Amino acid sequence: MSIKLLTDSASDLPLSFFQENNVGFLPLRVSLDNQEFLDLQTIEPASVYEAIRKGKMPKTSQAAPTTMYEVFEDIAKSGDSCVYLAFSSELSGTYQTAMMIREELLEKYPDFQLEIIDTKCASLGQGVVTYYAAQLLQQNLSLIEMTEKIKQYALHMEHIFTVDDLDFLAQGGRVSKASAFVGGLLNIKPLLHVEDGKLIPIEKIRGRKKVFKRMLDVMEERGKNLSSQTIGISHGDDLETALQLKEMIQERFGTKHFIINIIGAAIGSHSGPGTIAVFFLNENIE
């Protein structure tokens, strides 16, 4: 028996991570031009950003319940146990669906050990938690020990990000329409974070450069041992800016380890082009 690790494509990790670390993922779904695609499998993020720039509004839905059932059942049949790190329950129904499927499967496979964690995280916040979880697989922990440790990483994962246009998040119901009114003509950029799994605007700052400086200030205020952490940076089709932010973090905090990736098709459908996000721990996890 071994522990199988699963997450979903809202984690915004590159496909290579899953292949190299033997971690599974459940794809969220993206609807565009009257077709349904599977995030990270049958649609590229660049296609979503190109569509948004042309005025189209992709729609998203949670991981397919039938796919989820099949994946979990395959693990149950193998006799292995499983930990699933789910996209925040405040932003998707994926976690709730997983819990219902878990109940169904336990009737059929009463010995199946399936732990489902509501990470209350999104994008590479969820992704960096998954990265740490993959490292824990090497430590020969029990299922309970591993689950508790992952919960600590998730609980203490900070998300600090800015978007070019909050209207994308408002249209998808991710922030209130009142919060979305920030004054684009004045070059005012919102700074947001995640609080208990919800996206919350925290400041409005004039000018993109000032936003990035403020992001680093917040990292300094909230982060612990930033030099020795693995920092996540995700971007809405703007690698150049993501790399600039990496250099700023390196210069200020001496951080050596980063995961940098484009925001995937599912999350990117709501955050839009130009989003820049940074993820780090606000506590030392022993």
Side-chain angles (χ1 to χ4, degrees):
M1 281 181 60
S2 63
I3 299 173
K4 298 297 184 186
L5 191 63
L6 277 176
T7 188
D8 48 62
S9 63
S11 59
D12 284 344
L13 287 161
L15 197 56
S16 58
F17 170 87
F18 296 105
Q19 295 165 341
E20 293 165 7
N21 292 276
N22 197 27
V23 176
F25 74 92
L26 298 166
L28 275 67
R29 294 170 288 173
V30 179
S31 296
L32 181 63
D33 293 331
N34 297 314
Q35 295 184 69
E36 184 172 272
F37 301 93
L38 298 177
D39 188 17
L40 206 59
Q41 289 185 341
T42 60
I43 189 169
E44 293 292 326
S47 303
V48 166
Y49 295 118
E50 182 181 353
I52 291 173
R53 290 185 180 110
K54 291 178 179 177
K56 298 177 182 179
M57 286 301 298
K59 298 187 183 303
T60 63
S61 52
Q62 61 180 277
T66 51
T67 300
M68 191 181 292
Y69 189 100
E70 289 167 3
V71 169
F72 287 157
E73 186 173 37
D74 283 346
I75 298 171
K77 287 177 178 177
S78 73
D80 293 328
S81 54
C82 178
V83 182
Y84 169 48
L85 284 67
F87 185 19
S88 172
S89 62
E90 296 290 345
L91 300 173
S92 170
T94 301
Y95 168 75
Q96 288 88 345
T97 299
M99 291 298 289
M100 287 189 290
I101 289 173
R102 179 181 183 274
E103 292 305 310
E104 285 183 45
L105 280 170
L106 288 179
E107 291 181 11
K108 192 173 179 181
Y109 305 94
D111 295 329
F112 182 33
Q113 293 182 295
L114 172 58
E115 294 288 340
I116 298 174
I117 299 173
D118 180 2
T119 63
K120 300 291 182 76
C121 296
S123 190
L124 271 181
Q126 182 181 341
V128 175
V129 173
T130 303
Y131 164 80
Y132 284 126
Q135 291 186 321
L136 292 175
L137 279 177
Q138 315 304 318
Q139 297 182 20
N140 202 28
L141 300 174
S142 71
L143 181 67
I144 298 302
E145 288 171 331
M146 185 170 173
T147 301
E148 289 307 310
K149 198 82 173 277
I150 293 170
K151 286 180 179 178
Q152 287 301 304
Y153 283 118
L155 179 65
H156 294 290
M157 184 59 63
E158 292 279 355
H159 304 55
I160 304 296
F161 63 105
T162 186
V163 295
D164 261 2
D165 190 344
L166 261 178
D167 283 341
F168 294 124
L169 293 173
Q171 288 171 13
R174 267 58 186 183
V175 298
S176 71
K177 284 185 168 57
S179 295
F181 182 71
V182 294
L185 293 176
L186 300 174
N187 196 27
I188 293 174
K189 299 298 180 186
L191 193 67
L192 303 93
H193 71 159
V194 169
E195 188 176 294
D196 195 31
K198 299 175 185 176
L199 306 184
I200 308 289
I202 50 176
E203 294 179 25
K204 299 172 186 177
I205 300 167
R206 181 170 292 182
R208 201 162 160 86
K209 286 185 178 179
K210 289 182 180 178
V211 169
F212 297 138
K213 181 182 181 300
R214 182 62 186 137
M215 289 173 82
L216 266 68
D217 289 344
V218 174
M219 289 183 71
E220 187 166 358
E221 292 164 10
R222 300 186 183 185
K224 290 285 179 68
N225 290 338
L226 292 167
S227 62
S228 58
Q229 287 192 36
T230 295
I231 303 291
I233 301 174
S234 61
H235 62 91
D237 203 20
D238 191 356
L239 178 59
E240 183 180 349
T241 299
L243 293 174
Q244 289 173 1
L245 183 61
K246 174 192 174 185
E247 288 181 10
M248 292 169 66
I249 293 170
Q250 283 178 314
E251 186 176 326
R252 183 151 168 183
F253 304 117
T255 309
K256 297 180 178 62
H257 303 291
F258 293 85
I259 299 174
I260 300 174
N261 198 37
I262 191 168
I263 298 170
I267 300 282
S269 293
H270 298 284
S271 58
T275 299
I276 297 290
V278 63
F279 310 91
F280 57 94
L281 291 168
N282 61 24
E283 198 58 73
N284 297 320
I285 309 297
E286 299 297 336

